[in-house]
Each structure stands twice: as structure tokens, then as C-alpha cells.
Amino acid sequence: QVQLVQSGGGLVQPGESLTLSCAVSGITLEYYAIAWFRQAPGKGREGLACIRDDGWAVYSDSVKGRFTISRDNAKRTVSLQMTSLKPDDTAVYYCAAGASMWPMIDPRTTRDGYNNWGEGTQVTVST
């Protein structure tokens, strides 16, 4: 059974940092790309970042330079380090795993390549 268990969400002030983690089980992580998405109230799900099985990472323009995605296959975890957080970053954040070929796993343009999802974790950026 595939499981993606998220942790690390919470309430922070603007300008602060937060790291989200996604613990993966039930799949051979080395063969999968992992992506992070988010969904703000009243908005669609937005793809933020992806790290492929070869370690290559891409970011959406909205988070490039502020967020960093990383993976540790030995620990079976993928992390999203978020810095310089803004109120607009407030959303429910999701990790997802996909084994399709590029560009089907480019989260900036599609969710079709991802069929395994975490439960979501709330991030709130507010004073």
C-alpha cells in the first residue's frame, strides 16, 4: 500500500521559514519523481516544485528562489524548505509521487503524472 505521510505545516509570520516533509512507503522511491502542490481557499491546485528520480529539480515562478525541494532516498523522505514566506503562500500543501516520463510529471503544467498523494498539510502565513 502506497503511503505519503506529510508533516511540518503550521502558522508562521511573514518572512519566516518552514520545512515540510513527506515520508514515502509502499513504492521504490528511487524510481519516482516527487512533487509539491498547494491549494489556497477558492483557488485551483498549483504545482510548485518537482524533484525527479535523477535529482533534477524544477520550480514554479511563484516559489523559485524561495523554496527548495530535496530528497533522501535512504530515509525515504522528500522535503520542501520554504523561506521568505508571504501571506500569499497560505494554502494546503500536498506531496505527490509519480513514475511517468517527463513532461507528464512537470507539476507546473499537469497533475496527470501523479497518482499517489499525501493527505495535505496546512501552512498559514499571517501576523
Side-chain angles (χ1 to χ4, degrees):
Q1 181 181 359
V2 181
Q3 283 192 311
L4 282 71
V5 178
Q6 300 179 217
S7 60
L11 171 64
V12 297
Q13 295 189 352
E16 293 187 338
S17 300
L18 197 63
T19 297
L20 305 181
S21 294
C22 179
V24 182
S25 61
I27 58 174
T28 304
L29 181 58
E30 289 86 342
Y31 300 148
Y32 280 75
I34 304 295
W36 286 93
F37 295 78
R38 69 185 177 190
Q39 189 162 12
K43 296 186 177 180
R45 194 163 294 191
E46 177 189 10
L48 305 177
C50 166
I51 186 163
R52 297 189 327 187
D53 56 352
D54 59 3
W56 186 67
V58 296
Y59 299 90
S60 67
D61 287 343
S62 62
V63 304
K64 191 179 299 181
R66 297 189 300 125
F67 291 12
T68 302
I69 190 170
S70 61
R71 63 191 295 157
D72 186 331
N73 290 336
K75 295 182 178 180
R76 305 183 63 77
T77 60
V78 176
S79 298
L80 185 69
Q81 183 178 7
M82 306 183 293
T83 64
S84 302
L85 283 162
K86 310 171 184 179
D88 284 350
D89 293 317
T90 295
V92 177
Y93 284 68
Y94 300 88
C95 61
S100 300
M101 300 296 291
W102 195 268
M104 288 296 294
I105 51 171
D106 185 347
R108 299 169 298 181
T109 57
T110 181
R111 290 180 287 168
D112 291 347
Y114 295 94
N115 52 8
N116 299 288
W117 291 81
E119 74 276 24
T121 187
Q122 178 70 44
V123 173
T124 302
V125 185
S126 175
T127 56

PDB file of all heavy atoms in Angstrom, residues 10-30:
ATOM      1  N   GLY A  10       2.052  24.504   9.616  1.00  0.00           N
ATOM      2  CA  GLY A  10       1.782  25.307  10.794  1.00  0.00           C
ATOM      3  C   GLY A  10       1.569  26.765  10.472  1.00  0.00           C
ATOM      4  O   GLY A  10       1.400  27.144   9.306  1.00  0.00           O
ATOM      5  N   LEU A  11       1.611  27.574  11.514  1.00  0.00           N
ATOM      6  CA  LEU A  11       1.407  29.015  11.412  1.00  0.00           C
ATOM      7  C   LEU A  11       2.741  29.730  11.595  1.00  0.00           C
ATOM      8  O   LEU A  11       3.447  29.486  12.588  1.00  0.00           O
ATOM      9  CB  LEU A  11       0.417  29.475  12.488  1.00  0.00           C
ATOM     10  CG  LEU A  11       0.234  30.981  12.672  1.00  0.00           C
ATOM     11  CD1 LEU A  11      -0.367  31.614  11.419  1.00  0.00           C
ATOM     12  CD2 LEU A  11      -0.630  31.269  13.894  1.00  0.00           C
ATOM     13  N   VAL A  12       3.089  30.579  10.641  1.00  0.00           N
ATOM     14  CA  VAL A  12       4.314  31.368  10.728  1.00  0.00           C
ATOM     15  C   VAL A  12       4.004  32.810  10.352  1.00  0.00           C
ATOM     16  O   VAL A  12       2.970  33.089   9.730  1.00  0.00           O
ATOM     17  CB  VAL A  12       5.436  30.820   9.828  1.00  0.00           C
ATOM     18  CG1 VAL A  12       5.856  29.423  10.268  1.00  0.00           C
ATOM     19  CG2 VAL A  12       5.016  30.826   8.375  1.00  0.00           C
ATOM     20  N   GLN A  13       4.923  33.694  10.701  1.00  0.00           N
ATOM     21  CA  GLN A  13       4.775  35.098  10.334  1.00  0.00           C
ATOM     22  C   GLN A  13       5.451  35.354   8.988  1.00  0.00           C
ATOM     23  O   GLN A  13       6.343  34.598   8.578  1.00  0.00           O
ATOM     24  CB  GLN A  13       5.394  35.984  11.413  1.00  0.00           C
ATOM     25  CG  GLN A  13       4.674  35.878  12.752  1.00  0.00           C
ATOM     26  CD  GLN A  13       5.158  36.913  13.743  1.00  0.00           C
ATOM     27  OE1 GLN A  13       6.125  37.620  13.507  1.00  0.00           O
ATOM     28  NE2 GLN A  13       4.463  37.029  14.856  1.00  0.00           N
ATOM     29  N   PRO A  14       5.041  36.393   8.304  1.00  0.00           N
ATOM     30  CA  PRO A  14       5.689  36.737   7.030  1.00  0.00           C
ATOM     31  C   PRO A  14       7.200  36.895   7.192  1.00  0.00           C
ATOM     32  O   PRO A  14       7.663  37.475   8.188  1.00  0.00           O
ATOM     33  CB  PRO A  14       5.026  38.059   6.658  1.00  0.00           C
ATOM     34  CG  PRO A  14       3.683  37.996   7.294  1.00  0.00           C
ATOM     35  CD  PRO A  14       3.897  37.275   8.594  1.00  0.00           C
ATOM     36  N   GLY A  15       7.923  36.362   6.235  1.00  0.00           N
ATOM     37  CA  GLY A  15       9.375  36.428   6.264  1.00  0.00           C
ATOM     38  C   GLY A  15      10.035  35.235   6.933  1.00  0.00           C
ATOM     39  O   GLY A  15      11.252  35.048   6.787  1.00  0.00           O
ATOM     40  N   GLU A  16       9.267  34.447   7.653  1.00  0.00           N
ATOM     41  CA  GLU A  16       9.821  33.286   8.342  1.00  0.00           C
ATOM     42  C   GLU A  16       9.934  32.090   7.397  1.00  0.00           C
ATOM     43  O   GLU A  16       9.511  32.141   6.237  1.00  0.00           O
ATOM     44  CB  GLU A  16       8.975  32.948   9.561  1.00  0.00           C
ATOM     45  CG  GLU A  16       9.043  34.003  10.648  1.00  0.00           C
ATOM     46  CD  GLU A  16       8.348  33.587  11.929  1.00  0.00           C
ATOM     47  OE1 GLU A  16       7.465  32.696  11.868  1.00  0.00           O
ATOM     48  OE2 GLU A  16       8.669  34.146  12.987  1.00  0.00           O
ATOM     49  N   SER A  17      10.521  31.028   7.935  1.00  0.00           N
ATOM     50  CA  SER A  17      10.766  29.811   7.153  1.00  0.00           C
ATOM     51  C   SER A  17      10.028  28.629   7.761  1.00  0.00           C
ATOM     52  O   SER A  17       9.689  28.631   8.955  1.00  0.00           O
ATOM     53  CB  SER A  17      12.260  29.507   7.108  1.00  0.00           C
ATOM     54  OG  SER A  17      12.978  30.563   6.507  1.00  0.00           O
ATOM     55  N   LEU A  18       9.815  27.626   6.933  1.00  0.00           N
ATOM     56  CA  LEU A  18       9.137  26.397   7.365  1.00  0.00           C
ATOM     57  C   LEU A  18       9.563  25.280   6.434  1.00  0.00           C
ATOM     58  O   LEU A  18       9.771  25.517   5.229  1.00  0.00           O
ATOM     59  CB  LEU A  18       7.622  26.589   7.289  1.00  0.00           C
ATOM     60  CG  LEU A  18       6.699  25.632   8.037  1.00  0.00           C
ATOM     61  CD1 LEU A  18       6.947  25.729   9.539  1.00  0.00           C
ATOM     62  CD2 LEU A  18       5.245  25.981   7.715  1.00  0.00           C
ATOM     63  N   THR A  19       9.713  24.084   6.981  1.00  0.00           N
ATOM     64  CA  THR A  19      10.068  22.937   6.158  1.00  0.00           C
ATOM     65  C   THR A  19       8.980  21.877   6.251  1.00  0.00           C
ATOM     66  O   THR A  19       8.589  21.472   7.355  1.00  0.00           O
ATOM     67  CB  THR A  19      11.416  22.335   6.581  1.00  0.00           C
ATOM     68  OG1 THR A  19      12.452  23.307   6.387  1.00  0.00           O
ATOM     69  CG2 THR A  19      11.749  21.109   5.740  1.00  0.00           C
ATOM     70  N   LEU A  20       8.508  21.441   5.100  1.00  0.00           N
ATOM     71  CA  LEU A  20       7.539  20.350   5.014  1.00  0.00           C
ATOM     72  C   LEU A  20       8.262  19.066   4.657  1.00  0.00           C
ATOM     73  O   LEU A  20       9.217  19.075   3.879  1.00  0.00           O
ATOM     74  CB  LEU A  20       6.480  20.643   3.949  1.00  0.00           C
ATOM     75  CG  LEU A  20       5.721  21.959   4.078  1.00  0.00           C
ATOM     76  CD1 LEU A  20       4.705  22.078   2.951  1.00  0.00           C
ATOM     77  CD2 LEU A  20       5.052  22.070   5.424  1.00  0.00           C
ATOM     78  N   SER A  21       7.786  17.958   5.215  1.00  0.00           N
ATOM     79  CA  SER A  21       8.368  16.656   4.902  1.00  0.00           C
ATOM     80  C   SER A  21       7.298  15.704   4.402  1.00  0.00           C
ATOM     81  O   SER A  21       6.124  15.812   4.782  1.00  0.00           O
ATOM     82  CB  SER A  21       9.043  16.054   6.134  1.00  0.00           C
ATOM     83  OG  SER A  21      10.160  16.826   6.521  1.00  0.00           O
ATOM     84  N   CYS A  22       7.722  14.785   3.568  1.00  0.00           N
ATOM     85  CA  CYS A  22       6.818  13.783   3.001  1.00  0.00           C
ATOM     86  C   CYS A  22       7.517  12.430   3.129  1.00  0.00           C
ATOM     87  O   CYS A  22       8.539  12.201   2.463  1.00  0.00           O
ATOM     88  CB  CYS A  22       6.534  14.124   1.543  1.00  0.00           C
ATOM     89  SG  CYS A  22       5.452  12.985   0.664  1.00  0.00           S
ATOM     90  N   ALA A  23       7.012  11.596   4.006  1.00  0.00           N
ATOM     91  CA  ALA A  23       7.581  10.260   4.207  1.00  0.00           C
ATOM     92  C   ALA A  23       6.848   9.274   3.310  1.00  0.00           C
ATOM     93  O   ALA A  23       5.615   9.178   3.357  1.00  0.00           O
ATOM     94  CB  ALA A  23       7.443   9.844   5.665  1.00  0.00           C
ATOM     95  N   VAL A  24       7.616   8.545   2.503  1.00  0.00           N
ATOM     96  CA  VAL A  24       7.035   7.704   1.458  1.00  0.00           C
ATOM     97  C   VAL A  24       7.245   6.229   1.781  1.00  0.00           C
ATOM     98  O   VAL A  24       8.349   5.824   2.156  1.00  0.00           O
ATOM     99  CB  VAL A  24       7.671   8.027   0.098  1.00  0.00           C
ATOM    100  CG1 VAL A  24       7.030   7.186  -1.008  1.00  0.00           C
ATOM    101  CG2 VAL A  24       7.531   9.511  -0.212  1.00  0.00           C
ATOM    102  N   SER A  25       6.209   5.427   1.621  1.00  0.00           N
ATOM    103  CA  SER A  25       6.323   3.988   1.799  1.00  0.00           C
ATOM    104  C   SER A  25       5.456   3.292   0.759  1.00  0.00           C
ATOM    105  O   SER A  25       4.540   3.887   0.188  1.00  0.00           O
ATOM    106  CB  SER A  25       5.906   3.575   3.210  1.00  0.00           C
ATOM    107  OG  SER A  25       4.557   3.911   3.456  1.00  0.00           O
ATOM    108  N   GLY A  26       5.785   2.026   0.505  1.00  0.00           N
ATOM    109  CA  GLY A  26       4.984   1.235  -0.420  1.00  0.00           C
ATOM    110  C   GLY A  26       5.408   1.310  -1.867  1.00  0.00           C
ATOM    111  O   GLY A  26       4.819   0.643  -2.723  1.00  0.00           O
ATOM    112  N   ILE A  27       6.410   2.137  -2.175  1.00  0.00           N
ATOM    113  CA  ILE A  27       6.954   2.226  -3.527  1.00  0.00           C
ATOM    114  C   ILE A  27       8.475   2.287  -3.432  1.00  0.00           C
ATOM    115  O   ILE A  27       9.026   2.591  -2.379  1.00  0.00           O
ATOM    116  CB  ILE A  27       6.457   3.474  -4.295  1.00  0.00           C
ATOM    117  CG1 ILE A  27       6.809   4.760  -3.531  1.00  0.00           C
ATOM    118  CG2 ILE A  27       4.966   3.383  -4.565  1.00  0.00           C
ATOM    119  CD1 ILE A  27       6.491   6.033  -4.291  1.00  0.00           C
ATOM    120  N   THR A  28       9.129   2.003  -4.548  1.00  0.00           N
ATOM    121  CA  THR A  28      10.587   2.157  -4.615  1.00  0.00           C
ATOM    122  C   THR A  28      10.869   3.604  -4.968  1.00  0.00           C
ATOM    123  O   THR A  28      10.804   4.002  -6.139  1.00  0.00           O
ATOM    124  CB  THR A  28      11.179   1.205  -5.660  1.00  0.00           C
ATOM    125  OG1 THR A  28      10.781  -0.147  -5.359  1.00  0.00           O
ATOM    126  CG2 THR A  28      12.705   1.292  -5.640  1.00  0.00           C
ATOM    127  N   LEU A  29      11.151   4.395  -3.945  1.00  0.00           N
ATOM    128  CA  LEU A  29      11.231   5.840  -4.117  1.00  0.00           C
ATOM    129  C   LEU A  29      12.236   6.244  -5.200  1.00  0.00           C
ATOM    130  O   LEU A  29      12.016   7.229  -5.901  1.00  0.00           O
ATOM    131  CB  LEU A  29      11.597   6.490  -2.781  1.00  0.00           C
ATOM    132  CG  LEU A  29      11.693   8.008  -2.765  1.00  0.00           C
ATOM    133  CD1 LEU A  29      10.373   8.642  -3.196  1.00  0.00           C
ATOM    134  CD2 LEU A  29      12.097   8.508  -1.386  1.00  0.00           C
ATOM    135  N   GLU A  30      13.296   5.465  -5.341  1.00  0.00           N
ATOM    136  CA  GLU A  30      14.345   5.819  -6.299  1.00  0.00           C
ATOM    137  C   GLU A  30      13.815   5.941  -7.720  1.00  0.00           C
ATOM    138  O   GLU A  30      14.427   6.612  -8.551  1.00  0.00           O
ATOM    139  CB  GLU A  30      15.453   4.754  -6.272  1.00  0.00           C
ATOM    140  CG  GLU A  30      16.298   4.765  -5.015  1.00  0.00           C
ATOM    141  CD  GLU A  30      15.707   3.952  -3.881  1.00  0.00           C
ATOM    142  OE1 GLU A  30      14.493   3.639  -3.924  1.00  0.00           O
ATOM    143  OE2 GLU A  30      16.454   3.633  -2.936  1.00  0.00           O
TER     144      GLU A  30
END
